[in-house]
Amino acid sequence: PLWKSKPIIKPLQGGMTNINFLAEENKKKYVARFALTSNALLGLDRKREVYNTKIAALENIGPKVVAFYPQHNLLILEYIPGTIATPLSIKKEENIRLLAQLFQKLHFGKKFQDELNIFDSIQSYLKEVKKRKSWIPVDLPLLLANLQQLEQELQFKTNTPCHLDLMIENIVFHKRKARLIDWEYSANSDLRFDLAMLSVKGSFGRQEDVVLLKSY
């Protein structure tokens, strides 16, 4: 019912938790995202994604929600023009500063729906893996001990709206602005996780980290 005429539909590559399509009608472009039913195992919630994406759109740091069809697990979003970040472009100082500005808007904006503690998520995933008798690392006891020490030292907080999925492919640059796509993991969490994930996924060195933190 959204289309007034038959749109041109093309599959979009990438993404692990949705089947994505580009829809074009009367020179307007949209992204159609079908969520997989298995996403529930990852703690993903489409209604939360829609709510949080709408907030991000108001801050002009994410795409607008055009329509949501729960019966099909289908979310239709505004298509964001621009250039997807690459391992090379993500390290440019001007782009890091743009992302620091984006984080300012995100982290000090309106609260999201739900809270997410990364440490709780890891325990939840581990419980599911054991239940399904899937592969578990042989050094799991050591990893869990390190995890517990990290949790105590970091005192993880869940009071800040965060994206929580900062793969560089989720970053779009356009006209000296940065915006983020794929808000399905977003929730109120610890702002340090967004900053750290960008640093890790962007393979930042000390120089890039300093620019990011000082700009932020």
Side-chain angles (χ1 to χ4, degrees):
L2 181 67
W3 319 120
K4 295 177 182 178
S5 59
K6 189 176 181 180
I8 299 171
I9 307 289
K10 296 179 181 178
L12 284 174
Q13 301 301 317
M16 295 182 287
T17 52
N18 286 264
I19 300 171
N20 301 301
F21 296 88
L22 177 66
E24 186 171 358
E25 184 205 32
N26 294 330
K27 296 183 179 180
K28 286 188 176 181
K29 293 181 179 180
Y30 307 87
V31 174
R33 290 162 57 81
F34 289 93
L36 307 176
T37 54
S38 58
N39 284 356
L41 292 173
L42 300 174
L44 300 182
D45 184 312
R46 187 61 113 191
K47 290 181 179 179
R48 181 185 72 209
E49 178 186 358
V50 170
Y51 182 92
N52 294 348
T53 302
K54 286 181 177 179
I55 293 176
L58 289 174
E59 297 285 354
N60 197 27
I61 56 176
K64 294 177 182 176
V65 174
V66 177
F68 174 45
Y69 300 98
Q71 69 272 32
H72 303 299
N73 232 348
L74 169 63
L75 176 60
I76 298 180
L77 299 163
E78 165 197 29
Y79 173 81
I80 294 182
T83 305
I84 296 173
T86 65
L88 186 63
S89 70
I90 199 67
K91 290 185 177 182
K92 290 183 178 179
E93 184 171 326
E94 59 185 300
N95 288 337
I96 296 174
R97 293 187 186 280
L98 290 177
L99 286 166
Q101 293 171 13
L102 183 151
F103 286 147
Q104 283 280 335
K105 283 187 176 181
L106 169 61
H107 294 156
F108 298 96
K110 184 179 177 182
K111 288 287 193 290
F112 278 167
Q113 190 176 87
D114 292 345
E115 294 182 354
L116 190 142
N117 185 312
I118 300 300
F119 295 96
D120 292 344
S121 295
I122 294 172
Q123 295 294 346
S124 177
Y125 289 162
L126 181 58
K127 183 179 179 181
E128 191 64 41
V129 167
K130 288 180 176 178
K131 175 183 172 183
R132 292 169 178 269
K133 298 181 179 179
S134 299
W135 175 84
I136 292 177
V138 292
D139 57 347
L140 181 64
L142 175 62
L143 295 172
L144 288 177
N146 290 341
L147 193 69
Q148 186 176 21
Q149 183 181 352
L150 273 173
E151 187 173 11
Q152 291 173 350
E153 290 181 5
L154 288 174
Q155 295 295 306
F156 203 85
K157 299 175 177 62
T158 56
N159 58 357
T160 302
C162 294
H163 184 271
L164 301 176
D165 191 19
L166 282 160
M167 311 294 287
I168 61 174
E169 294 84 0
N170 286 340
I171 300 168
V172 180
F173 294 111
H174 184 59
K175 293 182 178 179
R176 293 197 54 75
K177 284 186 179 179
R179 288 203 277 179
L180 302 176
I181 59 173
D182 293 0
W183 292 82
E184 60 190 344
Y185 279 96
S186 62
N188 297 307
S189 192
D190 194 310
L191 62 86
R192 293 172 295 178
F193 189 85
D194 273 350
L195 297 170
M197 190 171 185
L198 176 62
S199 176
V200 170
K201 295 302 179 181
S203 299
F204 284 5
R206 177 172 175 79
Q207 181 179 344
E208 291 83 12
D209 281 340
V210 167
V211 172
L212 174 62
L213 294 175
K214 283 190 173 182
S215 300
Y216 183 80

